[in-house]
Each structure stands twice: as C-alpha cells, then as structure tokens.
Amino acid sequence: MVLIAPLGFLGDYQLFRLTLIATYALALLGLNLVMGFGGQISLGHGAFYASGAYTTAILMTSAGVPYWATLPCAGAAGAALGFLVGWPALRLRGHYLALITLALATAIPQALKCKALEPWTGGVQGVIIDKPGAPFGLPLSPDGWLYLLALAITAVAFTLVANLLRGRIGRAIVAVRDHTLAAEAMGVHVARLKTRTFALSAALTALAGSLGALETEFVSPDSFTVFLSITLFVGSVVGGVASIGGAVAGAVFIVMVPPLANSVSRAAPGAVYGVILIACLYLMPSGIAGLLRRAAASSWWRKRKRGGEHVA
Amino acid sequence: MLGFWHQILAGVATGGIYASLALALVMIHQATHHINFAQGEMATFSAYLAYALMVSGVPYWGAFGITVVLSFALGALIERVLLRPLAHAPDLTLIGVFIGLLLILNALCGWIWDFTIKPFPSPFGSRPLLGGLVSSAELGTIAVTFVMLLLIWAFFRFTKLGLAMRAVAHNPESSRLVGIRVGAMLALGWGLAAAVGAVAGMMIAPVVFLDPNMMSGILLYAFAGALLGGLDNPFGAVLGGFLVGVIENVGGAYLVGTELKLSLALAVIAFVLMLKPSGLLGRAVASRV
C-alpha cells in the first residue's frame, strides 16, 4: 500500500522517476542473479536491456501488437540472446563471460544502426512509440498506470526469483558459485545450469528494457551504448551484488545520482561512478544492502528475531 | 585486385595497433590472470597526454617519447596503488576496479580536454605510395609497430630483467624463492603494458580522431585478437591482432559492410570460444582435480 500511495499526490515527473527505479530494480535483479548468486561476471546487460526495448518497439510499430503482449516476447528475446552469448563462454572457466558480454555491449549500437535493419529499427533515428493509457477506464494518467504496471511486474519477478533461490535450483546455483567441483560431484550439470541462469537473468533485464521503452516512449541505438551496461554493473555492485534487496538499492543509486552529478559537469557522472565503485569495492564489498543488513543485525532486529537465518 | 591488396595492407596497418593492444592485454593476463578492461582507456589517456604536449609546442617525436615514459610511470603507479592491495581479492572486485578505472580515466579525458572530437597529427603525412597500394601513414604505422614489437621481444628474450619478468609470470612463488622481487616485476609489467598501449593510442588517434571513447571499439578488436591468438601467448596475441585487422578490413569491404565491423569482431570472439578456446597458439589448460 505504501508503494501505491505515491499515485495520489506525486506529479507525473516524480512518478516517472519512481517507475524508472522499479524498472532498473528489475534489470539489476537479473544482473544480481548472475553476478551475486551465479558468481559469473557480466559487463553487457545493457545489450539485453536493449533487446527487450527494441522487441517491444518493433512489435508495437511494425506489427501492431498491443504493448502488454510485447512484454513476454521481450523476455523471450532476451533469454534467446542470453543463451546465444552465454553458451560459448560459460562452458569455460575464466573471464570469458565478462569479455564476450563487454564485446556484445560494444557492438550492439553499431548493429542497431545497420542499414539492412533500418525498416524495423529506424536506424540512427530509432523508433518512437506511444505511451499506453490506463485500461478499464481507471482514473489514472499514463504515467500513473505505467508506474503501477512496472511495480506489479517487478514485485512478481522479485517474488519468483526469491522463491527460485530458496529452492533446489537456487541452492545448486549458489553451490556452483562457492565450489564448482563439489557441485559437479553432487550431480549438478554446471555448464547447463550456468547457461540457463544466464538466460533467465537476460530475460529479466530484457523485460525491464521493454518497460523502459514504454516509459521513455522512444528507443535509439545511442540510448544503449556500453555505458548503460557499465551503469548496470555499477548499480549492481554498489547496491549489493549477492542480495535481492541490493537490486532496489542499486536502482535508487543509478536513478538518483547522475542528475545530481550532472549538475556539476558533464564528466562528473562517470567520475562519480568510478570513484564510488572503487571505494565500494574497498570499503563495503557487500554494497548498500550488506551495510543495511549488518546495521540491522547489530541492533534491535537481533533481539527480536534471534535465530532467524539469512539466505545469502 | 589492387583494391583487395590495399585492403590487406590497410588491415595490417590497423592490425598492428590491435596487435599492440592485444600484447598489452596478454602481458597483464599472463602475470595476473586478469583481463585489464581499462587498457583501452589508459591508451586514450596517453594519447591525450601527447596531444596536450604537442599543443604546448613540443615537437611530435619529443611528445611521443615523453608520453611513453609518462604512461609507463602511470601504469606502474596504478598497479602499485590500486591493484597491489587486491592481490588475493575475488574476481568481481578486480574486474570492478578495472571498470572503475575505465570510468575515471574516461571522465578525466572529457573533463580536462572536453568532449569535442579533435584531430591528431600523424608524423607520416598521407602521401600515396607504391601506386596507391598503401599510404605513407599506414606504412609508418606498420613500421612503428614492428619496431616496438621487436624491441619488446628483444627485451624479454635477451635481458636479465626480461627473463625475471617471464619467470614471475610463469611461477611467482618459485621466482620469489630465487630472489626476484615479484611486486616490482608486476609493476614493471603494468608499466610496459601501459607504454605499449600508449604507442597504440598515438598510432590510432590520427585515424579515428581524438575522443574520450575512441578506444572502446579498438579494445574490442584487441580482445578478439588476443583470444584468437591465445590469451597466454604473446606471439599468438600479436599474430591474432594482425589477423583481426585483416579480417576486419577485408570483411568490412567485401562481406558485411562497414556497419557491422564490430559485430564481426564479436563473431570472431564467439567462434574462438566455441571452436578453440585456447586460441591458435595458446596451450590448452588441464587442471588436476
């Protein structure tokens, strides 16, 4: 209820920012699944975000598909791309996933500008789409409706991922991260599990990209440069990589900090990201979520919930 | 047919730059088993340093020399200050620091020298040579790259210091036991990699123009080159860099068009990982369980 309350009194721009936070939280949930729980490093989740955004934009404008029906398609497109990229890299040990994902993120804006695809992608100009209005005659502005939609989808995704991680598959994912050999000896098919986890993660981020496209009403190659992928990486690490709540903290960080930094200078967001990232890795490697958890564990929470266990 | 040979030679010229950057990546990877994702931005920063020196009146080769020395110092400093404390940190931490470094250097370039694209002089002019087969700039780039690669090879092959550095990359524990200062060698390796990257940056800047993001595509080709040749083999990385340069130019001209050149590099990376992850000249690693 607290999360629905802003609909009553916030203006459209504030709602837009809140919607962005919910969207990035979903994207970071995907990234945290791979980096925090899977122990793999992706520097290219912006590419999956882009694939979702473009799937929605192209289906809406070229095929006339209603926006809500494009959301599952965007997830599927992200999963397919994630599988394609993850499959060659995840069979191997080492930093190949980081390398190939960074390569993907670098290559994707150029590929989207390609002349052959222009009838669908709009080339450099990109695609303009309409912001959907509220259905069933609900008394909401389009921004209000999108906020509700993003909130609902993100909440469902968080619940599903939390359940997944608590179950057998989640334990297998964490086991592979902590001791690959032992997990393999216990019967976990390591390469297959890693690839599927990565595909799921890509699907979540693509779904976020699809929501993002609806919010900004516009997709273009220059919105999905390698800097987007790096922003997601920074958000994930600063928020707290091995926790689900960290995705929300990271999303607040990447939505709130750049406008503040931008008012100083154009170079500032990059520098601020870089400095905070390095400081974070040195001083609080478990991110904002880890910091909050430790603070909570050392105070009243401990007395009330003695013996309560934590998953991560 | 002339056009085809021109594409090959142009590919060798840019390939030399990819080869240098790939060599820098492999030098660091061999010693630390990490891929320096900030290598491209370090080279960009060096190119900007050279630009600043030239603007303030230093002649080209003077600026070239000073930049190489400064980059060497900067590389060694980065190793000493940022990475030494993290020698035993998890992978995510190290990659995060590389990304942080990339962001900071990129922002610094934009902050000090602003984001407008600047021309960068080439000391070789752009006269057509050999009946239009190759331009003087391309030939000059090829010459500089070859001289540098030869110097690096001679350093590692014939000097005591080079031998010590190879020993550290191969087996740090035993090297320390025989009295090699492992930390100093690592800093030296970072310095050398930064210096090699600086030369690559100064050679590519006249082609792509000076801009804080100029290296992100180049680094992708260098990744492809290093992987194609083998991440643990310097010769392989150099060979791979040249090959990727030729593939990029010939493929861009006849196969996929200039718009998908970066995707071509991505395809090379994916194919190498699928078919021969150790690269052309690398060793397949078998680990005992």
Side-chain angles (χ1 to χ4, degrees), chain A residues 258-272, chain B residues 107 110-112 115:
Chain A
L260 289 179
N262 239 332
S263 56
V264 182
S265 100
R266 194 183 149 192
V272 167
Chain B
W111 191 31
I112 304 177
F115 288 90

Side-chain angles (χ1 to χ4, degrees), chain A residues 85-160:
Chain A
V85 175
W87 184 68
L90 287 169
R91 301 175 303 135
L92 311 164
R93 268 197 280 165
H95 306 298
Y96 296 112
L97 187 70
L99 203 145
I100 198 169
T101 46
L102 185 67
L104 176 72
T106 312
I108 217 135
Q110 200 191 39
L112 287 173
K113 286 177 192 163
C114 176
K115 279 267 185 321
L117 299 174
E118 208 163 284
W120 298 283
T121 60
V124 186
Q125 262 85 43
V127 186
I128 296 172
I129 52 181
D130 295 323
K131 197 173 262 192
F136 322 121
L138 285 175
L140 286 171
S141 67
D143 283 300
W145 164 240
L146 263 184
Y147 171 66
L148 217 56
L149 185 71
L151 196 64
I153 290 178
T154 305
V156 169
F158 268 75
T159 317
L160 290 180

Side-chain angles (χ1 to χ4, degrees), chain A residues 198-271:
Chain A
F198 190 67
L200 173 63
S201 148
L204 290 169
T205 304
L207 194 59
S210 172
L211 287 171
L214 292 174
E215 284 148 29
T216 49
E217 302 172 75
F218 174 59
V219 295
S220 81
D222 292 326
S223 341
F224 306 115
T225 58
V226 70
F227 192 69
L228 173 65
S229 297
I230 291 179
T231 303
L232 291 177
F233 177 86
V234 174
S236 175
V237 172
V238 172
V241 76
S243 82
I244 291 189
V248 181
V252 173
F253 175 81
I254 58 180
V255 172
M256 293 306 189
V257 169
L260 289 179
N262 239 332
S263 56
V264 182
S265 100
R266 194 183 149 192

Side-chain angles (χ1 to χ4, degrees), chain A residues 41 87-88 91-93 95-96 99 102-104 106 110-111 115 181 227 230 233 266-267 270-271 274 277 281-282, chain B residues 33-35 37 82 91-93 95-97 99-100 103 107 115 216 220 227 259 262-263 266 273-274 277 287 289:
Chain A
I41 293 160
W87 184 68
R91 301 175 303 135
L92 311 164
R93 268 197 280 165
H95 306 298
Y96 296 112
L99 203 145
L102 185 67
L104 176 72
T106 312
Q110 200 191 39
K115 279 267 185 321
L181 272 179
F227 192 69
I230 291 179
F233 177 86
R266 194 183 149 192
L277 178 64
L281 288 166
Y282 272 90
Chain B
H33 297 285
H34 280 286
I35 297 166
F37 291 99
L82 268 184
D91 292 348
L92 178 67
T93 309
I95 291 187
V97 168
I99 296 296
L103 284 166
F115 288 90
S216 76
L220 175 51
L227 264 183
E259 297 162 326
L262 286 171
S263 305
L266 177 64
L273 289 184
M274 273 190 282
S287 61
V289 179

Side-chain angles (χ1 to χ4, degrees), chain B residues 48-64 66 113 121:
Chain B
Y48 269 102
L49 280 180
Y51 171 82
L53 285 166
M54 278 184 261
V55 165
S56 60
V58 183
Y60 184 90
W61 291 109
F64 184 96
I66 297 175
W113 292 286

Side-chain angles (χ1 to χ4, degrees), chain B residues 150-174:
Chain B
L150 208 65
L151 282 175
I152 295 275
W153 175 77
F155 170 75
F156 277 111
R157 178 71 185 74
F158 295 117
T159 66
K160 210 174 164 186
L161 200 57
L163 181 66
M165 284 177 68
R166 281 190 290 150
V168 168
H170 193 70
N171 191 337
E173 281 83 16
S174 305

